[in-house]
Amino acid sequence: MAKKNDSQRILIVDDQPEVRDYVRKVLEERGYDVLEAADPPNGLKVFKKEGDTLALVILDLDFGAGAPSGLQLLEDMKKANEAVPVLILTGKGSAASGAEALRLGAADVLEKDLYIEETLDASVEKIQRLMAVVEENRRLAAENVALRKQVDYYAQEFRRRYTMVGESKSFMRTIEEARRVADVPRPVLIRGERGTGKELVAALIHYHSQRHDHPFVTVNCAAFHGNLLESEMFGHEKGAFTGADKRKVGRFELAHEGTLFLDEVGNMPMDFQEKVLRVLEYQKFERVAGTQTISVDVRVVAATNADLEAQMKEGTFRPDLYDRLSFKEIHLPPLRERREDIPLLVEHFRQKLIEEVPWVAERSFAPDAVEALQRHGWPGNIRQLKNIVERLLCAGDAPEVQGTEAALELGDADEGGGGFQDRVQRLELQLILDALRKAGGNQRGAAEELQLTYDQFRHLYKKYNIKERLGQ
């Protein structure tokens, strides 16, 4: 006897034991778990108790004079659980009853003849065909549920990890460009300074594309060198090099049917650039030390803060790879060009930190603190802003971060450039601001921190116009 499949249970409701016995025997031989009821009341009782586990009901319509109607039982079953299919058994000459059963929601109608075994065999074969359809429909329904859950997960993960915040014209223009190119199955090159959010834009492109329910895989090309980069991208076979004790699947293979984000693409060695170009053109590659050609379907989004035009002139970046990657170029504006977004970003980072450090909810930014943040040059862009906001929120317990605190935290020694004297002055300024921050703004405490007399400190304080810098 075949092993029973409890997920495929069938209920037979028929007042003729020979019919129940025969159908049960045939179905059990085929691995089904069969339940029985001899009349409509018991049939409905079993159905209500086991309905969620039933794959099919086989229901007779004729229970004899004075017995409840099979049609009424069908109607009651459909009210209790419409999803369970019901197969109707009728005698000869019951076409009208069969038609009514179909109107009430029966899946199919079979004519039975208790004395002709071949007819029952044919009926059981039809039952099995119906069961195959039911199983396939359930499998597809389960896949759809799983797919919806997966899509919901990626959508939630996108909102959690890749939220982009801003209302400035330059920001909105960037978002619109990313959304417009999302469904175009071609590479995209994202360019911008460090910390501007290039990975966020790559994620936005992926999760707004038709590939959104497939992997979004990232790799920093500057983090690997030589064979390690090739192994990371394409994978390797066991024994490919010292330490390769098992097969490794590369990022291109992991990103099959999804998107591969190549960050810092300007840092790829020239010989490796040729291999990446080949994969982009043919969507085929071999693992390191492998002989099998692997075919993939991967959409590549690349990003860089490097001057690729200069690199191409110098011969350190392939023009043909640039052409292949730049079907569409998206340029991210630096934070200094979208200062109006800083208040929104500050509150966004504050709310994100509250999720990890609940007591931060008791602190916010005073208007003059936000103004100080807006005046800053932000060479590190949004990443730097996030770090500064988090440090300021965790640095004290007053209800508000004040402008003086923000100015002390920021300084302006990170502006760069200039000759020897300029750099010395920036260093002096930074030392003064750091000392004031450590001393909580107290000038005598800052002088002691720097091992200066108070008069010496006051001279430097006035020289660098610290009062104005701190908005005092």
Side-chain angles (χ1 to χ4, degrees), residues 12-23:
I12 304 173
V13 187
D14 196 304
D15 61 344
Q16 295 177 298
E18 60 270 34
V19 173
R20 296 199 307 272
D21 289 346
Y22 181 81
V23 175

Side-chain angles (χ1 to χ4, degrees), residues 37-58:
D39 55 63
N42 281 316
L44 185 59
K45 182 178 179 181
V46 174
F47 183 85
K48 288 183 175 180
K49 180 181 179 182
E50 308 288 347
D52 290 338
T53 70
L54 294 175
L56 178 69
V57 175
I58 301 175

